[in-house]
Amino acid sequence: IAKATDDVQKGRTQKARNALTVAAAADPWSPEALLWLSNLDQLELVVRGESSEVRKSLDSALSTALDRAGEDPAVYRLVGGQRMHLFQRHGRKTDLDSAIEIFDQVLEVQPSNVEAMTYRSWLNYQSGADADIQIAAWEEVLVLEPSYPDALVFISIALSNEGRYSQAATYLDELRSSPVREDILGIVQQRGLYGEVYGEARYPTILEKPEPSLEDLQLEPDIGLEAANYLLLSDKDERTVSAIKIYRAIIADFPTHPEALSREALLLWQTGNTTLLDRAVDQLNLAVLENPNNLEALLSRATVRAGFDPVGACSDLESINAIFAATDLTPEIQFSIEKV
């Protein structure tokens, strides 16, 4: 297995597979080598797409691993997790059903296993099961292990989908106060969960108060920016005003915040009003003066300057080129630069 690990790290997949096959045959009681083999098969499915040959190999490895595991819940959790990831990647119902069945088996041995409870409910939720039942299951998990991040994210998603944004925000508050794995953060970011939940939950306060503060909104600057972006993309009547109120709340506490200054300035510029254009330019000048290496501030100022000061806009673009390599810039940013 150690040799196979070294081969995988060096990209010698077939050599790794051969070594693991030898290891699996040498110790007919251990599931470890088979779990490694199934990981190689899963990686191959990700790279190549569905393949009946690879599928057959993977199913055989996982089945034999479970046979060798006895009642070891750790192995069942690993196999259940693999089946779950396969379902999420390829959408095959057989993987979904297998994962749920495996987590059921874990819970027969360990009724309070929070990982199995959390992911069985998540898979049930994804298959269309009653949301309230799954929410209750995640609440039970959080009684057993408060701040368990996976349960906090899944219950927040379910509550958000039900339109229960204030409750979802409470769980996201807990999530943000705890250490969180990268894969869980990825789910939050991919779904735009912070923006949606806090944007919706704080919207009544934004409408009610002429000049809400960050304390009124119970938001930190980074979450405030996500909420403002969500509201701008929504169909709400007061979406632009709401976003501006959030930006101004951030600026009130952090007067040189580059993203808040830049984003409010762009909204002011888009009105076409001369007075507001002057204010936008002043704000962007401040953003760049205080944050000379900030990409968003430079690009925002270049965008506004392009209409009346092309030399200044080019200067901002040259600053971007001097600070950032092309490989550091996303395709969207590169497109915006080309457009300016």
Side-chain angles (χ1 to χ4, degrees):
I1 290 174
K3 182 179 184 306
T5 302
D6 182 61
D7 286 332
V8 168
Q9 291 172 345
K10 294 177 179 176
R12 300 191 295 246
T13 306
Q14 189 55 52
K15 284 190 174 183
R17 187 180 294 279
N18 294 340
L20 291 168
T21 301
V22 171
D27 186 352
W29 300 104
S30 171
E32 186 178 1
L34 292 161
L35 292 172
W36 274 91
L37 279 168
S38 68
N39 280 328
L40 289 181
D41 288 333
Q42 185 174 353
L43 179 61
E44 194 165 347
L45 286 174
V46 170
V47 173
R48 289 175 44 185
E50 278 291 352
S51 161
S52 58
E53 180 184 350
V54 177
R55 266 284 174 178
K56 184 177 179 181
S57 172
L58 185 147
D59 289 342
S60 174
L62 291 180
S63 175
T64 307
L66 288 178
D67 289 341
R68 295 183 179 188
E71 292 188 349
D72 184 351
V75 175
Y76 276 75
R77 289 201 307 274
L78 288 171
V79 175
Q82 264 194 288
R83 288 293 187 191
M84 180 181 65
H85 292 310
L86 285 166
F87 165 69
Q88 291 172 333
R89 180 81 186 188
H90 301 283
R92 286 177 45 154
K93 190 173 184 302
T94 52
D95 288 322
L96 172 66
D97 294 339
S98 294
I100 292 174
E101 181 182 355
I102 290 167
F103 287 130
D104 283 339
Q105 292 170 332
V106 172
L107 292 170
E108 287 178 8
V109 180
Q110 294 182 336
S112 298
N113 186 293
V114 293
E115 181 182 352
M117 292 170 68
T118 298
Y119 280 94
R120 180 179 66 175
S121 292
W122 178 237
L123 292 170
N124 282 328
Y125 180 74
Q126 288 183 300
S127 65
D130 184 271
D132 287 336
I133 293 175
Q134 312 319 315
I135 288 169
W138 290 316
E139 288 173 340
E140 183 181 349
V141 168
L142 293 169
V143 170
L144 294 169
E145 188 171 330
S147 303
Y148 185 57
D150 308 55
L152 289 168
V153 169
F154 296 153
I155 198 172
S156 298
I157 291 171
L159 289 168
S160 175
N161 290 341
E162 295 291 307
R164 295 156 62 180
Y165 295 108
S166 294
Q167 287 177 267
T170 300
Y171 288 110
L172 287 182
D173 288 342
E174 182 65 32
L175 181 74
R176 289 164 50 214
S177 67
S178 310
V180 182
R181 302 191 314 273
E182 286 297 322
D183 59 321
I184 290 296
L185 280 179
I187 294 173
V188 173
Q189 292 164 356
Q190 183 182 25
R191 289 176 174 265
L193 197 59
Y194 285 146
E196 178 183 0
V197 168
Y198 287 108
E200 293 285 355
R202 307 299 189 249
Y203 188 61
T205 303
I206 294 170
L207 292 182
E208 177 189 344
K209 292 182 176 288
E211 296 181 358
S213 65
L214 286 180
E215 185 177 359
D216 293 329
L217 298 174
Q218 296 178 292
L219 294 175
E220 296 169 1
D222 57 334
I223 304 299
L225 292 175
E226 293 195 42
N229 188 56
Y230 167 81
L231 291 171
L232 278 173
L233 296 174
S234 73
D235 58 0
K236 297 184 183 301
D237 293 337
E238 300 293 325
R239 54 186 177 274
T240 302
V241 172
S242 297
I244 287 176
K245 285 184 177 182
I246 294 175
Y247 297 144
R248 289 182 179 174
I250 296 171
I251 294 167
D253 285 359
F254 303 91
T256 61
H257 195 286
E259 288 79 19
L261 287 167
S262 301
R263 294 179 196 185
E264 187 195 1
L266 288 177
L267 293 178
L268 298 176
W269 166 65
Q270 288 168 359
T271 65
N273 180 285
T274 304
T275 302
L276 293 180
L277 172 60
D278 291 340
R279 179 172 171 179
V281 172
D282 288 342
Q283 231 169 263
L284 289 167
N285 287 339
L286 174 62
V288 173
L289 177 66
E290 296 292 337
N291 309 274
N293 294 332
N294 184 272
L295 173 61
E296 185 168 345
L298 286 165
L299 184 53
S300 297
R301 190 170 72 171
T303 302
V304 172
R305 276 176 149 181
F308 66 90
D309 180 14
V311 173
C314 285
S315 175
D316 286 332
L317 296 182
E318 288 168 358
S319 295
I320 292 172
N321 287 334
I323 297 168
F324 300 95
T327 52
D328 295 333
L329 306 176
T330 66
E332 292 80 8
I333 293 294
Q334 292 184 35
F335 174 78
S336 296
I337 290 173
E338 290 165 8
K339 186 177 179 182
V340 176

